[in-house]
Amino acid sequence: LPAAIATAVSLGGAGIFGSTIPEKTVVDVFLASPTAKTSIRSLDFLLSCISLPHSCVTDAVRDEVLELLMKNLSSPDGELRQLCLHSMLLILPLLGDQVTQVKQENGLSFQALVSTLLEAEQQPDSLTHYKDKLNKLERTEWSRVAEVLEAVPSLALVPVHYYLGLLYTNFTLLWAPLASLLATHGSGLPSSTFWPVFLAKLQAAGRDVQEQMVELQEGRQEGRRTDHINYRNQLWGLMASFPAVAEARNRDLVPLFLDTFMQGEYVTIR
């Protein structure tokens, strides 16, 4: 269904909503398949065409959509991250003044923070654009945006999810700055807020590595662009930047290391 809607949208344009495809159907399809690029693209097109507020985006739907879009920011797919950030910018005004209030000397509101991340995502990963991209990312460092994030606590992890997604980049010059930015949020956010997201990504990275190892053994690596082994290693190395948080979570980390590395990957590669 997401692919069918995306095709209909591409052929019929904005006029297709309401007449051929009910607006609520597009939203429901996204909620049912929130990680499918076709459903995200259709949602983004819908939000770009309709006037908000709209009956298809109730307060409950708004909050659920924003949360799902935020979680998608940790995807390795740059185009998907860009669609999610753009969709968030279209919905955020429904939250009211809390997203437009500027509370920091750097002049960022929450809406401007999301816009800054989108601008950074739109910059190519290249030496030519490296400085501009880095300048935009550094504007979202924890000490600069802490009060802004406190104003919208349900979306306080937007930068963290985005850093985790951008860290998949093969542009190695970004790895160290991204690690530093992520460390500032890991140390600044409450551990109970930050750790579940980071741990879930560690666990997912371990599963991705296991899948990649199987593909390597079976000679099915053609076309793979994401180096999950490197990504997993970066996540483990990152914890040295927020040791107090990591050391308090040994009960999570030790079994994860033993199960995903020692009993799986290590046995395969030795």
Side-chain angles (χ1 to χ4, degrees):
L1 187 56
I5 291 177
T7 302
V9 166
S10 65
L11 295 175
I16 200 168
F17 296 121
S19 57
T20 305
I21 300 178
E23 293 88 345
K24 186 177 183 300
T25 299
V26 178
V27 176
D28 289 344
V29 167
F30 168 75
L31 294 176
S33 305
T35 60
K37 189 184 292 187
T38 50
S39 64
I40 297 169
R41 185 179 289 114
S42 296
L43 175 71
D44 184 66
F45 190 74
L46 170 69
L47 295 172
S48 301
C49 294
I50 64 175
S51 297
L52 294 175
H54 191 281
S55 60
C56 69
V57 186
T58 63
D59 289 351
V61 168
R62 172 203 65 198
D63 294 344
E64 185 177 1
V65 168
L66 283 171
E67 182 179 1
L68 291 170
L69 290 172
M70 174 179 69
K71 291 179 178 179
N72 278 341
L73 295 179
S74 61
S75 166
D77 188 330
E79 183 183 359
L80 188 147
R81 294 195 301 269
Q82 190 171 153
L83 284 168
C84 289
L85 288 166
H86 185 255
S87 294
M88 291 186 74
L89 284 174
L90 295 172
I91 302 178
L92 280 175
L94 295 177
L95 293 177
D97 294 341
Q98 61 181 319
V99 300
T100 57
Q101 292 176 349
V102 178
K103 297 188 176 183
Q104 294 284 358
E105 292 182 0
N106 68 346
L108 282 183
S109 63
F110 185 83
Q111 190 168 354
L113 184 155
V114 176
S115 180
T116 299
L117 293 177
L118 177 58
E119 291 171 6
E121 183 62 46
Q122 291 170 334
Q123 291 280 348
D125 291 345
S126 67
L127 287 173
T128 304
H129 299 91
Y130 170 70
K131 186 175 181 180
D132 288 340
K133 193 179 188 91
L134 186 58
N135 285 340
K136 288 178 171 58
L137 290 171
E138 287 177 341
R139 295 187 68 194
T140 65
E141 188 265 339
W142 170 257
S143 65
R144 299 186 177 189
V145 299
E147 289 186 34
V148 172
L149 295 177
E150 289 172 3
V152 193
S154 62
L155 299 174
L157 287 163
V158 162
V160 170
H161 280 286
Y162 180 71
Y163 301 151
L164 288 171
L166 189 56
L167 196 61
Y168 280 104
T169 180
N170 292 323
F171 188 53
T172 58
L173 286 178
L174 282 178
W175 291 349
L178 281 171
S180 297
L181 287 168
L182 190 55
T184 66
H185 286 256
S187 300
L189 285 163
S191 176
S192 59
T193 300
F194 171 79
W195 184 252
V197 173
F198 191 81
L199 176 62
K201 203 62 179 174
L202 269 178
Q203 293 169 333
R207 292 190 296 270
D208 290 337
V209 167
Q210 290 176 336
E211 181 180 332
Q212 186 170 348
M213 295 298 294
V214 171
E215 291 180 357
L216 282 169
Q217 287 180 300
E218 297 178 354
R220 296 188 290 113
Q221 274 290 101
E222 296 85 352
R224 178 183 284 277
R225 298 181 61 186
T226 303
D227 186 345
H228 291 294
I229 296 175
N230 174 70
Y231 184 78
R232 187 276 316 275
N233 292 346
Q234 288 199 77
L235 291 184
W236 279 92
L238 265 172
M239 287 185 283
S241 302
F242 38 88
V245 177
E247 288 171 7
R249 303 291 177 163
N250 277 338
R251 289 186 178 181
D252 295 326
L253 295 172
V254 172
L256 184 61
F257 176 75
L258 292 176
D259 293 341
T260 63
F261 182 75
M262 294 303 296
Q263 294 182 13
E265 183 180 347
Y266 178 72
V267 174
T268 301
I269 64 178
R270 69 174 180 168

